Amino acid sequence: MVLEFTKMHGLGNDFIIIDNLQDKKLDWSKLAKKLCQRNTGIGGDGLVLVSPSDKGDYKMVIYNSDGSLAQMCGNAIRCFGKYLYEKGYTDKTNLVIDTDAGVKQLYLKINEGLVETVKVDMGPPIFQPELIPVNTTNSDNNIKIQVAQQELNITAISMGNPHAVIFVDQVEDFPVKEIGPLIENHPLFPQKTNVEFVQLKEDGTLVMRVWERGVGETQACGTGACAAFVASVLKGKVKNQGEVHLLGGVLKITFDGERVFKEGPAAFVFEGKVKIEEWL
Ligand SMILES: N[C@H](CCC[C@H](N)C(=O)O)C(=O)O
């Protein structure tokens, strides 16, 4: 069986997209793990399936590069919207996309027939510990932990997927690759967590690096940027509209006190085909 795939990225967070509208029951987790390998596979932070849905125009299913299923992906859903419009799946510029973190509204900004940016209604941030999930009784989800001889203050927030937001003085040379996995796999987080390291610069800019659950350090994380922005607003560090600067670029984020909106670009990289029998 030969499957066509499309490689895309959102600020360097890159994905393999496969049309699975026929709802093929393959071992997608195993395929994600193999196809995402950068030396022996196509390479990517995740595998995204275009799936049928009775709750929206389409459903986005996202597997991390370790084969784990994730509820939502903020960068991938922008790629998903661009993919659907420019490959002729739809001529609508306002899309309703179903995900395992609920239905998301997408607003495509078109320039000369191409999707220039995508604005996503990411929905409300989730603070209830049992819904993140995080093992804490702290009412404000601020948790102090000791890892690798460092005391860190974590703010736990879900954007449909779990995030541990940590403010640091200097993010550029922070040991993300050492500390990230210790928090990703910490017993505080029964479903593991994405980890955001955030610095508030003197000019009021938020700069962030991210260790993603099931992936490792990535160039950008859309849900993570939203979680970091919400934590920054709630701590009075920034106003309710601003930018988060990531290794891969800038995301514009608004938190109106109830819902989070994120806007950014998406890009095609290449197309290809894989003979499934060689990968399973
Ligand atoms: N690693 C994440 C999924 C991808 C999220 C990220 N790539 C984004 O843009 O939101 C998780 O396991 O929750």
Side-chain angles (χ1 to χ4, degrees):
M1 180 195 304
V2 173
L3 288 183
E4 295 182 350
F5 70 84
T6 300
K7 185 73 193 292
M8 298 187 77
H9 76 87
L11 300 184
N13 193 201
D14 60 339
F15 306 98
I16 301 160
I17 300 183
I18 292 178
D19 176 331
N20 191 34
L21 289 177
Q22 294 172 359
D23 211 6
K24 295 184 183 75
K25 305 298 182 196
L26 299 175
D27 186 342
W28 293 111
S29 171
K30 185 176 178 183
L31 265 178
K33 204 165 177 177
K34 291 199 167 185
L35 295 179
C36 288
Q37 287 299 313
R38 296 194 185 280
N39 299 104
T40 58
I42 299 163
D45 292 332
L47 170 64
V48 171
L49 301 180
V50 182
S51 305
S53 168
D54 55 10
K55 299 194 188 84
D57 296 304
Y58 295 93
K59 180 172 186 181
M60 179 182 80
V61 176
I62 166 100
Y63 288 88
N64 289 312
S65 56
D66 72 347
S68 61
L69 191 60
Q71 298 93 334
M72 172 55 186
C73 179
N75 285 318
I77 204 166
R78 296 199 314 277
C79 296
F80 198 80
K82 183 177 179 76
Y83 175 98
L84 294 174
Y85 186 85
E86 293 191 22
K87 291 176 83 69
Y89 286 73
T90 181
D91 57 5
K92 297 194 302 185
T93 55
N94 291 357
L95 299 177
V96 177
I97 304 301
D98 185 17
T99 75
D100 285 338
V103 171
K104 308 296 175 188
Q105 301 281 344
L106 269 57
Y107 307 96
L108 311 183
K109 302 208 173 171
I110 309 299
N111 182 12
E112 296 178 358
L114 299 177
V115 177
E116 190 170 65
T117 61
V118 181
K119 184 171 182 178
V120 186
D121 177 347
M122 298 289 283
I126 297 161
F127 300 101
Q128 297 90 321
E130 66 279 9
L131 298 180
I132 293 177
V134 61
N135 296 323
T136 182
T137 54
N138 301 7
S139 59
D140 60 359
N141 290 3
N142 286 324
I143 308 150
K144 215 183 278 293
I145 66 168
Q146 295 279 350
V147 286
Q149 291 79 44
Q150 289 202 45
E151 181 173 278
L152 298 170
N153 289 299
I154 289 174
T155 301
I157 298 180
S158 169
M159 289 304 300
N161 58 347
H163 294 275
V165 179
I166 300 167
F167 291 94
V168 298
D169 296 333
Q170 268 296 334
V171 75
E172 193 175 345
D173 50 13
F174 191 87
V176 169
K177 291 180 172 58
E178 177 198 357
I179 303 295
L182 298 177
I183 297 174
E184 175 194 2
N185 299 290
H186 196 282
L188 267 176
F189 296 96
Q191 292 178 12
K192 299 183 174 183
T193 187
N194 300 284
V195 193
E196 287 77 26
F197 303 94
V198 191
Q199 176 186 349
L200 177 66
K201 304 212 103 168
E202 283 169 16
D203 65 359
T205 308
L206 286 175
V207 183
M208 182 186 116
R209 287 172 65 191
V210 58
W211 178 269
E212 279 199 41
R213 176 180 65 169
V215 188
E217 182 166 15
T218 60
Q219 291 292 298
C221 177
T223 51
C226 292
F229 191 81
V230 168
S232 304
V233 171
L234 295 179
K235 291 177 181 292
K237 293 176 181 283
V238 294
K239 293 187 174 42
N240 72 342
Q241 190 162 357
E243 296 180 345
V244 175
H245 291 242
L246 304 116
L247 294 177
V250 179
L251 285 173
K252 292 179 184 168
I253 299 180
T254 302
F255 174 45
D256 64 10
E258 289 181 8
R259 306 180 76 79
V260 188
F261 298 84
K262 169 186 63 67
E263 183 169 6
F268 285 101
V269 183
F270 60 87
E271 309 263 356
K273 292 179 182 175
V274 285
K275 196 173 175 188
I276 290 304
E277 293 72 14
E278 292 172 7
W279 296 91
L280 285 177

